[in-house]
Amino acid sequence: VEEGTATAWLVEAEHHGPKYDVLAYAREQEGGFGLGQTSAAESGTRKFGLDGRIPIAENLSLTASAWHENYLASDARRIAGRMLVEYRGNDITGRAGLTIADDRLADGRTAKSTLLQLGGTKRFSKGRLELDAQTEMPIGGNNDSVDFPAQHRLGARFAVSPDVQLIGAYEI
């Protein structure tokens, strides 16, 4: 790339319908592109992916994502996927899923993560108070990807008014 010059491109195809929603994309962003308004995590990458959602029943859906990402300045790459089943009721939401990431680092080493995700949200007082808990725990001994670690989170949201919300979370 010529000094002071960097490019980016994005191609997307989208479908939204009663049976499924899908988004397919391809994008590239050279390092140094933009004026600082773009995500640093996407800088110097080429990424191809697919996101989808299928309603299984009235309150139950399956979402899935899969992507392949190359880092332009090195041989590093990531192949990853995520699948999540989610139940949404009036005052409660439950979710269970799986995330798999296979990274090849710039120095040639590999880092893999396979995570089981379990979580739930409960709403109280006509939705003014919301409590959320989620865990992502490694299965099969794979917990090496820096972007997909084992983690546990507790969160709360309280609506002081329709325009003001207090939000707090604790993550380990």
Side-chain angles (χ1 to χ4, degrees), residues 89-168:
N90 289 335
D91 292 329
I92 194 163
T93 300
R95 55 199 173 273
L98 186 67
T99 300
I100 298 171
D102 181 355
D103 297 344
R104 182 180 61 222
L105 306 177
D107 64 4
R109 292 179 298 128
T110 60
K112 297 180 181 185
S113 287
T114 304
L115 302 172
L116 174 65
Q117 175 185 337
L118 300 170
T121 303
K122 174 69 175 150
R123 289 170 289 288
F124 301 92
S125 301
K126 298 180 183 175
R128 284 190 71 203
L129 174 63
E130 182 177 286
L131 301 178
D132 183 75
Q134 180 167 300
T135 186
E136 294 184 53
M137 53 192 148
I139 55 177
N142 292 327
N143 187 34
D144 296 326
S145 176
V146 68
D147 293 324
F148 299 100
Q151 57 187 351
H152 315 285
R153 184 177 53 79
L154 297 173
R157 180 190 60 81
F158 180 72
V160 176
S161 72
D163 298 323
V164 178
Q165 297 182 9
L166 300 175
I167 300 172

Side-chain angles (χ1 to χ4, degrees), residues 1 28-32 42-46 69-77 104-107:
V1 175
E28 179 176 303
Q29 180 180 315
E30 292 178 343
E42 298 283 330
S43 182
T45 63
R46 180 181 304 121
E69 187 170 18
N70 289 308
Y71 297 86
L72 302 174
S74 70
D75 287 333
R77 65 106 180 103
R104 182 180 61 222
L105 306 177
D107 64 4

Side-chain angles (χ1 to χ4, degrees), residues 63-86:
T63 58
S65 297
W67 65 97
H68 185 278
E69 187 170 18
N70 289 308
Y71 297 86
L72 302 174
S74 70
D75 287 333
R77 65 106 180 103
R78 168 173 289 151
I79 299 171
R82 175 176 280 154
M83 184 170 49
L84 185 70
V85 175
E86 186 171 41

Side-chain angles (χ1 to χ4, degrees), residues 15-87:
H15 169 80
H16 298 283
K19 295 185 179 183
Y20 64 91
D21 298 326
V22 68
L23 168 69
Y25 61 88
R27 64 177 162 246
E28 179 176 303
Q29 180 180 315
E30 292 178 343
F33 174 79
L35 301 171
Q37 80 279 18
T38 57
S39 169
E42 298 283 330
S43 182
T45 63
R46 180 181 304 121
K47 188 174 183 179
F48 301 90
L50 188 67
D51 299 335
R53 180 182 175 280
I54 300 171
I56 299 169
E58 183 179 343
N59 296 338
L60 192 64
S61 65
L62 171 69
T63 58
S65 297
W67 65 97
H68 185 278
E69 187 170 18
N70 289 308
Y71 297 86
L72 302 174
S74 70
D75 287 333
R77 65 106 180 103
R78 168 173 289 151
I79 299 171
R82 175 176 280 154
M83 184 170 49
L84 185 70
V85 175
E86 186 171 41
Y87 169 81

